Amino acid sequence: MAAPVLHPAHRRGTPIRRRAIRLDEHLPVDHSLSRFYRVGAGLMGLLLLAFGILGLIDRIGFFDTGGDTVGGLNTNGALSILSICVGLLLFVGMVIGGNFASTLNMVLGIAFIISGFVNLALLDSSMNFLAFQMQNVLFSFIAGLLLMTFGMYGRVSGGLAHDNPYWRARHPEEVARQERRAPGPMPEVTRGKRL
């Protein structure tokens, strides 16, 4: 268990406990990073939606492993429907934006990377229901890394700017120290009065 940390704003000798940081509560809804999360979710959603729709247009069997390709990637009906569902989920994240889009990008990015490893293990087995080939595995890794980058941008870094809401949430002592050092408002000078 972590030792309590003294907050400079409180009386000396009165320990307080730091709250656990949750990734989804410290970003204001109108923060400029929300646009970045939305764009990332929208681009990846559009790519997956296009792949899934093109796969369904070709009328490939649902669990067919015959080597049908769309855009250089192997596909079948199950993978096409899964791609459409994930693409629509990313579009929902784009519409909602903010912390939801960021967290969704991170979670789906991790899911894509795990999917890449699982399907890599299943490449030459009878359990390869999604008709993955090596190019699909590589796409899964790349899409996962891109989604994680879109989701973690501005949230997870060692060099966040001091006005970043995540930095401020993780360093309340430093924020309080900066606010104490900030100069107060200048007194207003009125003209025409003499002392």
Side-chain angles (χ1 to χ4, degrees), residues 104-179:
L104 180 68
N105 285 343
M106 284 191 282
V107 168
L108 288 179
I110 292 168
F112 265 89
I113 290 176
I114 291 171
S115 168
F117 281 116
V118 168
N119 285 299
L120 181 63
L122 299 176
L123 276 182
D124 293 328
S125 72
S126 61
M127 302 282 294
N128 189 3
F129 296 119
L130 297 177
F132 262 57
Q133 294 296 324
M134 185 52 83
Q135 62 267 25
N136 295 74
V137 171
L138 293 175
F139 174 80
S140 187
F141 288 144
I142 292 169
L145 288 174
L146 283 173
L147 280 170
M148 286 176 56
T149 301
F150 283 132
M152 291 183 187
Y153 184 79
R155 289 182 84 167
V156 180
S157 172
L160 295 175
H162 289 227
D163 65 340
N164 185 296
Y166 297 112
W167 185 89
R168 294 177 68 82
R170 293 178 186 140
H171 302 91
E173 301 89 12
E174 188 69 27
V175 170
R177 197 170 317 137
Q178 285 178 354
E179 288 174 355

Side-chain angles (χ1 to χ4, degrees), residues 49-67:
L49 202 57
F51 175 74
I53 290 171
L54 290 174
L56 286 181
I57 290 174
D58 284 347
R59 298 179 190 213
I60 301 167
F62 197 71
F63 288 117
D64 185 21
T65 57

Side-chain angles (χ1 to χ4, degrees), residues 39-100:
V39 168
L43 288 176
M44 293 304 293
L46 181 66
L47 182 67
L48 290 171
L49 202 57
F51 175 74
I53 290 171
L54 290 174
L56 286 181
I57 290 174
D58 284 347
R59 298 179 190 213
I60 301 167
F62 197 71
F63 288 117
D64 185 21
T65 57
D68 296 310
T69 61
V70 170
L73 300 173
N74 274 21
T75 190
N76 62 14
L79 184 58
S80 296
I81 290 175
L82 184 63
S83 297
I84 289 172
C85 291
V86 173
L88 289 174
L89 184 62
L90 283 167
F91 272 127
V92 168
M94 180 187 73
V95 169
I96 294 173
N99 294 331
F100 178 79

